[in-house]
Amino acid sequence: MLKINSLEKFLSIKLLILASPSLILLALYQWQAGIHWQWIIVSLFALSLFIFWSIAVIKFRVMRAFTRAELHIDAIKQEDYNQFAKPSFSQGKVKAFHQQLNQLSDHLLKNKLNYDQQVLRVYQLINQLDIPILLFNQTQKLSFANDASTSLFEKPWHSYLHASAEQLGLSFDGTNWHYRLGIHRWQIKHSQIQEQDQVHQLLLFIDIKTPQREGQLIAWQKIIPVLSQEIKNSLSPISSMSETLADQSLLNSDRQMLQTITERCQHLHNFIDRYSLLNEDIEINRQNISIAELADSLKNTFHALTLTFDIAVKTIWVDLALFEQVFIDLLENAQEAEAKNVQIIMSNHEQHLLIELIDDGHGFDHLGNLFIPYYSTKFDGQGIGLNFCKNVIEHHQGVIELHNNEVKGVTIMIIIPLTSADN
């Protein structure tokens, strides 16, 4: 039995079946009328052509109605709701079918306008929020961000439109998002947004530094006056005795060591004066510091550590007293963590100076708490040093981050702007 699986085949077969009796009846009539068989063949051939032509016309008219409807549906799929196909017939089912398509287009157009207005309102609402929000499409390319996101980047977010998450310093481990340049400041909340057949990633950046900073200010206000007074009380007699001994000493080497003690006491005295004002809006006294001189000073201070330098710049534009103390605190942490070697790398990264201190000590536990005042992983630690380093770096408009190495030790990354023309 012939299987009919298309409308075209159905029309062809059914119309042929309906036309076949006409051919048979014409042949019988002509045969009985005594018409010559040649004329019978000619008349049957002519009638067959007319039948096939009629079948083709009928199929064309019927299929054209479906073709025009198909074009209308394709326009709907492309979200072109203003394109209407003219029906093949002005009355009947075909006309009613096209009217249904037109009504469907009008309905979808209204829904799309409402959806676009809702999306616009959502974007306007997001733009008014004071927390950075980023929206990535299904290929993890930035498609939208609010004005508050400028706190994450150096330029307006439009400059990073269509940039990949990786280019923006973001990574996804399958569960959580991470921001490489703000791991200790920003906590990222994310969710998926389904838009038609695409899945977007919505990232909200919560500034965890703000509540921590309030607690830090209270802690510093309590400890700084006591700490400053105690250190000053200890430094004054030490400095006075070293000056007296230097005047009485006959050996040049002894005088040099005592002079170094006096200079270090004076340095610490100046440092405490600056340290006590650190939480206030102070002005950083920047100057061009020779990297070679800073390296020599650190090597002379830390004889137990093997310091290696990989330096791509000759000078850095920082506050000498504060920045040198940052290095001292960080290297003391490495030494107390039983590190033997510390590599210090300095390199230019666009408009910033990237400083990395990589040691081979035993690393840190609970990295997220290290910048909180009074928190310490040491038995006799005060939990002040790293917090001080963080404050100094932030006063230089920079950031500081700590990462445990995969095998051993810690990598400390400091990023500060290059604001000096010499760099």
Side-chain angles (χ1 to χ4, degrees):
M1 183 177 179
L2 181 62
K3 184 177 180 181
I4 301 175
N5 53 13
S6 68
L7 178 61
E8 296 91 330
K9 185 182 292 185
F10 175 81
L11 290 174
S12 298
I13 294 174
K14 294 302 180 181
L15 291 173
L16 282 174
I17 293 175
L18 291 174
S20 297
S22 300
L23 292 172
I24 296 173
L25 290 174
L26 178 61
L28 290 175
Y29 172 77
Q30 291 179 337
W31 179 265
Q32 290 178 357
I35 298 175
H36 193 273
W37 66 271
Q38 292 180 342
W39 289 106
I40 294 175
I41 293 176
V42 171
S43 62
L44 291 176
F45 180 73
L47 181 59
S48 298
L49 290 178
F50 176 76
I51 290 173
F52 281 112
W53 176 80
S54 299
I55 292 174
V57 171
I58 295 172
K59 286 179 57 179
F60 173 76
R61 292 293 303 275
V62 173
M63 299 311 298
R64 185 172 64 174
F66 284 95
T67 301
R68 292 187 176 183
E70 185 179 9
L71 292 175
H72 195 154
I73 294 173
D74 285 339
I76 292 175
K77 290 171 61 177
Q78 298 298 324
E79 297 186 356
D80 183 3
Y81 304 118
N82 295 316
Q83 181 173 329
F84 299 100
K86 184 179 179 180
S88 300
F89 302 94
S90 60
Q91 301 295 330
K93 287 293 184 181
V94 173
K95 175 65 175 178
F97 177 62
H98 278 268
Q99 287 179 341
Q100 292 290 330
L101 287 178
N102 293 341
Q103 292 174 5
L104 176 62
S105 293
D106 292 337
H107 177 71
L108 293 176
L109 178 59
K110 292 179 181 178
N111 287 344
K112 184 177 186 300
L113 292 176
N114 290 333
Y115 174 78
D116 291 342
Q117 291 176 356
Q118 291 175 2
V119 171
L120 179 61
R121 284 196 293 268
V122 170
Y123 283 170
Q124 290 174 341
L125 176 61
I126 290 175
N127 202 43
Q128 293 176 1
L129 298 177
D130 58 358
I131 61 173
I133 298 177
L134 306 182
L135 184 65
F136 291 90
N137 60 22
Q138 60 182 2
T139 60
Q140 291 194 2
K141 298 295 180 63
L142 182 65
S143 58
F144 178 78
N146 63 348
D147 292 341
S149 63
T150 54
S151 60
L152 300 174
F153 313 121
E154 299 176 359
K155 304 176 182 178
W157 74 267
H158 300 88
S159 304
Y160 300 94
L161 186 62
H162 304 310
S164 67
E166 183 179 356
Q167 290 173 329
L168 298 177
L170 293 163
S171 61
F172 185 63
D173 60 9
T175 303
N176 298 310
W177 283 87
H178 304 281
Y179 185 37
R180 180 172 58 84
L181 299 180
I183 189 171
H184 295 300
R185 175 177 179 181
W186 300 105
Q187 181 183 15
I188 303 178
K189 300 291 185 181
H190 77 281
S191 62
Q192 292 184 347
I193 297 178
Q194 184 76 29
E195 183 180 4
Q196 297 178 355
D197 58 343
Q198 296 184 352
V199 178
H200 298 260
Q201 297 287 339
L202 182 68
L203 276 60
L204 287 78
F205 291 74
I206 301 174
D207 191 352
I208 60 177
K209 187 179 73 172
T210 301
Q212 285 186 354
R213 178 66 67 191
E214 294 176 357
Q216 290 173 358
L217 290 175
I218 296 174
W220 280 66
Q221 290 170 357
K222 292 180 178 179
I223 193 173
I224 285 177
V226 176
L227 184 65
S228 301
Q229 189 62 40
E230 288 297 325
I231 294 178
K232 287 181 179 180
N233 291 340
S234 299
L235 288 178
S236 296
I238 293 175
S239 177
S240 177
M241 287 186 291
S242 62
E243 289 178 356
T244 301
L245 291 174
D247 293 337
Q248 297 176 355
S249 178
L250 300 178
L251 297 177
N252 186 47
S253 59
D254 291 343
R255 286 197 299 271
Q256 289 180 349
M257 287 188 293
L258 292 170
Q259 184 179 359
T260 300
I261 293 174
T262 303
E263 291 175 355
R264 292 305 301 173
C265 287
Q266 184 61 42
H267 169 82
L268 288 175
H269 195 281
N270 295 334
F271 165 72
I272 289 300
D273 290 338
R274 302 283 298 284
Y275 187 66
S276 62
L277 300 175
L278 192 57
N279 279 318
E280 301 179 7
D281 293 331
I282 62 173
E283 180 180 354
I284 298 296
N285 299 321
R286 296 189 181 187
Q287 55 183 308
N288 279 318
I289 305 303
S290 170
I291 297 298
E293 294 180 4
L294 177 62
D296 291 339
S297 175
L298 295 177
K299 288 180 179 179
N300 293 332
T301 304
F302 295 93
H303 299 285
L305 289 175
T306 301
L307 302 180
T308 58
F309 293 84
D310 184 0
I311 307 299
V313 293
K314 294 181 179 179
T315 61
I316 56 176
W317 199 49
V318 295
D319 186 296
L320 174 60
L322 295 177
F323 215 77
E324 184 178 13
Q325 190 61 41
V326 167
F327 275 99
I328 291 173
D329 287 353
L330 295 179
L331 291 175
E332 283 181 351
N333 282 339
Q335 192 168 261
E336 292 172 358
E338 300 179 354
K340 301 299 181 183
N341 302 281
V342 179
Q343 184 181 14
I344 300 176
I345 304 173
M346 296 186 186
S347 60
N348 288 339
H349 183 71
E350 296 181 353
Q351 299 299 316
H352 290 79
L353 174 68
L354 175 62
I355 304 173
E356 294 177 282
L357 287 81
I358 306 172
D359 67 51
D360 57 356
H362 53 60
F364 286 109
D365 294 328
H366 310 294
L367 283 172
N369 299 323
L370 291 177
F371 293 110
I372 298 176
Y374 295 126
Y375 178 86
S376 177
T377 57
K378 308 169 189 175
F379 175 76
D380 57 349
Q382 302 299 317
I384 298 174
L386 287 177
N387 185 261
F388 162 76
C389 295
K390 183 173 183 289
N391 276 276
V392 171
I393 299 303
E394 288 180 352
H395 274 82
H396 285 78
Q397 291 82 47
V399 294
I400 179 172
E401 298 179 2
L402 286 77
H403 306 277
N404 282 324
N405 300 330
E406 292 184 1
V407 178
K408 189 179 182 181
V410 171
T411 294
I412 301 172
M413 182 175 66
I414 299 172
I415 301 176
I416 57 175
L418 283 174
T419 53
S420 171
D422 293 337
N423 287 318

